[in-house]
């Protein structure tokens, strides 16, 4: 009897772990929509999912499976006990995913794009008509949801990520363009299009790429605009924007910082 209980509770804990573990891959291969994948995580990791129970289902299942597993070992049902304990540990490990997501939400402003030029951000052109929830145009003047101070998107970015600034390099536009392409490739992004940044003379060069997240397969647009400076050298402006979702959990800022760090790193 104890072995059966341990087995059932182990299955519940394992099911919760799988719900989190498969939420992203299932969305990426088209088994369900990305929003449903996020709902799976919330269902198993949020208190109140089970009416009257203040604990998240995954934590409750893990705790019960661990206790039942210990009881199974005591009653010499080693196989069932091992299964229950391992399932409980897997559930505990899976719980770290929503906990890290929650920490990222709390540590970052509720925005889904960043840029180095608030007044004239690099434009999304090639990807503007691709499937997306967030518009391709820059909405820096929009109020940030959940901002108690009423900050705009641009103000929230400037406050949270003051280090994100344009790159100014002594390289010619051609040299900087080649280096930018190499950095994009090293960051495993795909170039969608590139060409002159505008019709006017001296408008510069624009590279439009897309980054695909590993787990959910989210698509984020990444644009690099290079402009020759009158005094010599090149200015590089960047923009990274999520196609879906209200908060990017800081992913776009991290991507821009990564590009800046790689581009600015000494050769070799």
């Amino acid at each position: 009897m104890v072995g059966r209980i341990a087995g059932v509770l182990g299955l519940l804990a394992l099911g919760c772990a799988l719900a989190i573990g498969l939420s992203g891959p299932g969305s990426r291969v088209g088994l369900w929509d990305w929003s449903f994948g996020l709902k799976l995580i919330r269902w198993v990791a949020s208190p109140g999912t089970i009416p009257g129970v203040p604990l998240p289902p995954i934590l409750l299942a893990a705790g019960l499976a661990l206790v039942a597993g210990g009881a199974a070992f005591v009653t010499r049902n080693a196989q069932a006990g091992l299964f229950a304990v391992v399932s409980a540990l897997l559930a505990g490990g899976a719980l770290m995913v929503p906990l890290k997501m929650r920490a990222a939400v709390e540590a970052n402003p509720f925005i889904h794009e960043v840029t180095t030029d608030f007044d004239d951000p690099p434009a999304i052109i090639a990807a503007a008509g691709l499937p997306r929830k967030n518009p391709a145009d820059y909405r820096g003047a929009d109020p940030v949801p959940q901002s108690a101070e009423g900050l705009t998107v641009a103000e929230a970015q400037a406050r949270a990520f003051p280090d994100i600034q344009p790159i100014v390099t002594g390289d010619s536009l051609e040299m900087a363009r080649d280096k930018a392409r190499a950095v994009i490739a090293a960051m495993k992004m795909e170039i969608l299009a590139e060409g002159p940044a505008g019709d006017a003379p001296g408008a510069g060069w624009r590279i439009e790429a897309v980054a695909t997240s590993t787990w959910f397969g989210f698509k984020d647009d990444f644009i690099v605009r290079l402009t020759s400076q009158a005094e010599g050298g090149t200015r590089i402006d960047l923009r990274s924007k999520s196609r879906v979702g209200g908060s990017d959990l800081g992913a776009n800022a991290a991507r821009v910082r990564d590009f800046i760090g790689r581009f600015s790193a000494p050769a070799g």
Side-chain angles (χ1 to χ4, degrees), residues 112-113 124 132-139 239 241:
H112 53 255
E113 75 170 303
I124 297 172
R132 61 192 312 123
K133 295 291 185 181
N134 299 323
D137 57 307
Y138 181 64
R139 307 291 291 271
R239 182 181 174 202
K241 181 184 182 85

Side-chain angles (χ1 to χ4, degrees), residues 1-14 16 50 53-73 80-92 95:
M1 184 65 177
V2 174
R4 286 186 178 182
I5 294 174
V8 170
L9 292 175
L11 284 173
L12 288 174
L14 183 60
C16 289
I50 304 174
V53 179
L55 295 176
I58 190 171
L59 186 58
L60 179 63
L64 292 175
L66 195 61
V67 171
F73 277 116
L82 180 61
F83 173 72
V85 170
V86 170
S87 296
L89 294 176
L90 289 173
L95 183 59

Side-chain angles (χ1 to χ4, degrees), residues 14 70 78 90 94 103 115 123 136 151 171 192 200 202 208 225 230 235 249 268:
L14 183 60
L90 289 173
T115 181
L151 299 177
D171 295 338
L192 298 179
E208 187 168 345
R225 186 179 65 207
R235 168 174 166 151
L249 310 185

